Structures are given as C-alpha cells and as structure tokens.
Amino acid sequence: MSVQERKERERASRERLIVATARELAEQQGWDAVTTRRLAERIEYSQPVLYSHFRGKREIIGAVALDGAAEMAVAVRAATAAAEGPRARVTALARAYLDFAERNPALYDALFRLDGGLEFAQEETPEPLKDAFSALLECLGEVAGEGVEPGLFTELFWASLHGLATLSRAGRLPPAYAEQRVELLVDRLAAI
C-alpha cells in the first residue's frame, strides 16, 4: 500500500469517527451539545483536524443525515420485503418509518429538521437521499392510483408520515391511537 493510500484510508477513518461521535453525542444530549470543541475532545483530535474534514457543524449534520438516509432506506426495504400484498407492504412501510423516527430522534432531526446543507428533490441531491425516497416510492408507487403521479403520491404519503412522527415525538398526539393512525392513513390515503 502506498503512503497516499494509507493517508486516504486514515482520513476516511477519521471522518467516520467524527460522524459517529457527533451522532452519538446528539443521541445522548441533543444537537445543541454537538460542538466542534466537544467533538475534538471526544475523538482526541484538535479542532483544526475536524475543520480539515468539515467546515463546521452544518456539514457534520449533513454527513450524519446521509448515513441516516441510508439506514432508513434499508429499514423500509427490509420491512416491505417481508410483507405480502400491497396493503401489507404499505402498512409495513408506515410502521418502519415511524419506528425509525422514534428509535433515532437525533438522526431523524439531522435528516428532516436541521439544516445540514443538503439539497432535497434536486438534480444535485446526494444519492443516499435519493435512495431513501426511492425506497418509499418502490412501495407506494404501486398504490398511487390511476392517473396519480407515483412520485407526487409518495411525497404526500411521506409528508403524512413525517407529520405523524413529528407530532408524536413532540407529545402532541395521544400514543394510544398510534396503530389506528397508521391503519387510517393506509385505508384513506393509499385507498387499499
């Protein structure tokens, strides 16, 4: 292995460490606790080393969000692959999405609430974000309905799930009705 390859491998390893540490700190104490100074202390590198990888917290949030998008896509695909029939797949998708948001609040915030400097729904949208949307579209496109553009239907269903996830996390919706909300969403919006 050349010196250049070793340096690139070490750089990639440091970057993964920074992202993993930021995510861990955010999950434990919230995103306000994630600062470059705290990250530098935790990973035992200087702040200039962090800045050689990321220009600041915004880019770190973006990197965490990209990891989160990839994880969400895997979770959604796993849930829908195990279900038989369109209704079961859409129900599994909804449950997997809401479960992901509940189990990973800091990750979910990095993806959908905080500014990580990422472009959504654009030509330059990073691949992990496109893939996460595709994971939704693969399942929801089949139930969009005649004359309904599948991408538009997926956006609407996703927005509904995001609203449920956000309002549930904020304690604005009674938890006792969580399952009924999923069933109603599938029954009425997907009309299966």
Side-chain angles (χ1 to χ4, degrees), residues 19-188:
V19 172
T21 304
R23 178 179 174 176
E24 179 183 308
L25 187 57
E27 291 289 356
Q28 292 170 352
Q29 301 176 29
W31 278 104
D32 288 341
V34 178
T35 65
T36 54
R37 192 181 88 197
R38 274 187 139 166
L39 285 173
E41 288 171 3
R42 283 225 176 167
I43 65 171
E44 299 178 344
Y45 282 101
S46 67
Q47 283 182 284
V49 170
L50 263 74
Y51 286 115
S52 75
H53 290 273
F54 300 99
R55 286 182 280 190
K57 183 176 175 177
R58 181 178 187 222
E59 284 188 5
I60 294 169
I61 291 169
V64 170
L66 292 177
D67 283 354
E71 289 179 31
M72 188 179 80
V74 167
V76 166
R77 285 189 176 109
T80 58
E84 290 190 29
R87 179 180 175 68
R89 279 191 290 280
V90 173
T91 301
L93 177 147
R95 288 181 182 138
Y97 183 97
L98 295 170
D99 184 53
F100 179 86
E102 184 180 329
R103 283 185 297 107
N104 305 286
L107 194 56
Y108 192 83
D109 286 347
L111 260 168
F112 301 120
R113 194 179 70 71
L114 301 174
D115 179 9
L118 302 173
E119 295 284 337
F120 283 79
Q122 304 295 321
E123 192 64 36
E124 53 277 349
T125 297
E127 279 308 311
L129 297 178
K130 288 179 180 179
D131 189 51
F133 185 78
S134 290
L136 301 175
L137 180 62
E138 290 161 9
C139 176
L140 295 169
E142 70 178 312
V143 298
E146 191 175 324
V148 177
E149 201 281 308
L152 184 60
F153 178 76
T154 300
E155 289 173 352
L156 181 61
F157 200 92
W158 172 30
S160 299
L161 289 173
H162 176 68
L164 288 174
T166 302
L167 291 169
S168 294
R169 280 186 51 207
R172 302 291 197 271
L173 299 175
Y177 297 108
E179 189 57 33
Q180 289 96 326
R181 286 186 199 95
V182 169
E183 293 299 323
L184 188 58
L185 181 64
V186 171
D187 285 343
R188 300 302 167 98

Side-chain angles (χ1 to χ4, degrees), residues 4-18 45 48-54:
Q4 182 63 28
E5 289 171 330
R6 181 183 53 78
K7 285 183 178 184
E8 287 173 11
R9 191 180 76 237
E10 289 171 355
R11 180 173 176 74
S13 178
R14 269 194 315 270
E15 194 164 297
R16 284 191 305 275
L17 177 62
I18 293 166
Y45 282 101
V49 170
L50 263 74
Y51 286 115
S52 75
H53 290 273
F54 300 99

